[in-house]
Amino acid sequence: MKKEQFNQELLAFLDASPTPFHAVATMAEHLEAAGFRRLEESHEWSLKPGGRYYVIRNGSSIVAFSGIKTPMELTGVRLFGAHTDSPCLKLKPQPEIHRKGFYQLGVEVYGGALLNPWFDRDLSIAGRVTCQSSDGSICNLLVNWKRPVATIPSLAIHLDREVNSSRSINPQTQLPPVVMQVEDSQKKDFREQLLERVKAEHEGTDVVRVLDFELCLYDVQGASLVGMSDQFITSARLDNLLSCYTGLQALLNSNGEYPCILVCNDHEEVGSTSAEGASGPFLRSLLLRLTEEEGRLGQTLSRSLMFSADNAHGIHPNYMDKHDDNHGPILNQGPVIKINANQRYATNSVTSSFYRQLSEQLDLPYQVFVVRTDMACGSTIGPLTAAELGVKTLDIGAPQWAMHSIRELCGTEDAYHLFKVTQAFFNTEKLPVV
């Protein structure tokens, strides 16, 4: 796959995936088109040697695997992990707010969102709706308004003269978006509106009631190339759908000779402690089914390696002092090996050396990130998965700006380089054993 095609398909993937549910559904479409077959956790599995399969949990986490031919305790597994969720504003269960003839929706802040950029944007709504059919059965359906239906207007500077020097945001009172202007006597029922939307998107579905929903706001402005030379990609959810897409393409383009697993977990932005999060049993449960017993799983993991892919903080030309002088990754100069002495990243000298050597064999660049010693360090699914499974792990990622903003930015070179190295990793016969 050429870089131009890779990036154009990345833009399309980002636009098609406003929520983790949509991201997983989009990934499943790509996998199905490539011949992968879906498995259900509740069923018994009959796997063909060398077959290509995937499993979905909660509609928001997915594991895909291929190349399971020989006993995996002899070959180890090539794992690539990422997360499907991004910081956002999620609708409350009873979101209706009516004030002065304006109809608004109450929201919660999901994850460590950068809140200022959410103001004055064209916002839409998407997510999962759990419905009741006329026969009493329950079904889950995805919805996406796809057009601007909400906005969070800023307060005029004339009413807040100090806004440019000191601004704090009260998420309870200042973030509810405006969705409609109505008569004071009118009281909108959001569930009724949502039921209408479900019926419009899913014609022929015998849905009579909305029981509950998991919906979030998102910016309708699509992903795009930016810059006088198109050197940047700007979009929502680059953290971390860029990594999901990169791992997916590497798996689809691997040769299938060796056991490879792509795992994309939900809930990383809120700690990963859930049934489908990296601290949950999803991946371990699947590996046990593939290896059939705990002893074989331990042998397999001792020969395995995981790439934990999550974007890194690229050095910002307007904020140079936020980086260590020797460890400030630059956009478009290669994926970033992420290292932290306190195990906020799971990289060690063995896993970083493997990546360095593999990159050099492909003549591709790489960089190293260490947070300033006087600053706190974020984390990833890497340490969580390493601790849960006991698997050697490398934390890696494309450098980006504006992390956790409604609009993030990265370079056009770095994800493609990570894809090429990951593809080679999936095709590598021998992994490091320690």
Side-chain angles (χ1 to χ4, degrees), residues 15-16 18 22 123-126 143-149 197 201 218-221:
D15 288 343
H22 288 84
L123 304 175
S124 192
I125 301 172
V143 297
N144 183 0
W145 264 261
K146 294 185 179 180
R147 65 178 184 86
V149 295
R197 184 65 197 180
E201 286 196 41
Y218 73 93
D219 184 4
V220 297
Q221 183 178 1

Side-chain angles (χ1 to χ4, degrees), residues 88-93 106-110 171 175:
C88 65
L89 303 182
K90 301 189 75 170
L91 298 193
K92 292 182 176 180
V107 295
E108 286 187 283
V109 178
Y110 177 87
L175 287 183

Side-chain angles (χ1 to χ4, degrees), residues 220-361:
V220 297
Q221 183 178 1
S224 64
L225 299 179
V226 171
M228 291 186 176
S229 299
D230 286 341
Q231 293 171 302
F232 310 112
I233 293 173
T234 181
S235 174
R237 304 175 298 280
L238 286 172
D239 173 20
N240 190 29
L241 293 187
L242 177 148
S243 299
C244 293
Y245 170 80
T246 299
L248 175 66
Q249 289 300 330
L251 182 65
L252 295 179
N253 287 277
S254 64
N255 60 24
E257 289 297 314
Y258 308 106
C260 298
I261 295 178
L262 168 69
V263 53
C264 297
N265 293 109
D266 194 4
H267 299 142
E268 189 272 349
E269 298 292 358
V270 291
S272 293
T273 305
S274 67
E276 53 276 359
S279 288
F282 188 23
L283 180 57
R284 182 181 181 84
S285 173
L286 179 137
L287 287 168
L288 270 174
R289 294 184 76 158
L290 295 180
T291 55
E292 297 180 354
E293 59 184 74
E294 190 76 31
R296 287 186 62 201
L297 175 59
Q299 287 180 278
T300 299
L301 291 172
S302 71
R303 294 180 177 272
S304 301
L305 176 64
M306 179 173 185
F307 282 11
S308 164
D310 204 345
N311 293 352
H313 298 293
I315 191 166
H316 194 307
N318 296 343
Y319 302 91
M320 303 282 285
D321 61 335
K322 297 298 183 180
H323 283 78
D324 181 283
D325 287 343
N326 292 335
H327 303 91
I330 296 176
L331 271 61
N332 286 319
Q333 293 194 14
V336 181
I337 299 170
K338 302 159 75 172
I339 297 172
N340 181 259
N342 296 300
Q343 288 298 295
R344 300 295 287 170
Y345 303 131
T347 306
N348 61 28
S349 62
V350 173
T351 60
S352 65
S353 295
F354 176 84
Y355 189 89
R356 288 171 186 263
Q357 187 179 59
L358 197 57
S359 294
E360 290 166 2
Q361 290 171 355

Side-chain angles (χ1 to χ4, degrees), residues 371-411:
V371 73
R372 282 178 58 109
T373 308
D374 55 1
M375 293 177 66
C377 183
S379 192
T380 69
I381 67 168
L384 301 175
T385 306
E388 169 65 21
L389 296 180
V391 63
K392 295 180 294 296
T393 302
L394 168 82
D395 267 299
I396 191 77
Q400 78 163 78
W401 294 336
M403 189 175 288
H404 289 194
S405 174
I406 196 172
R407 194 83 179 161
E408 300 172 320
L409 187 145
C410 65

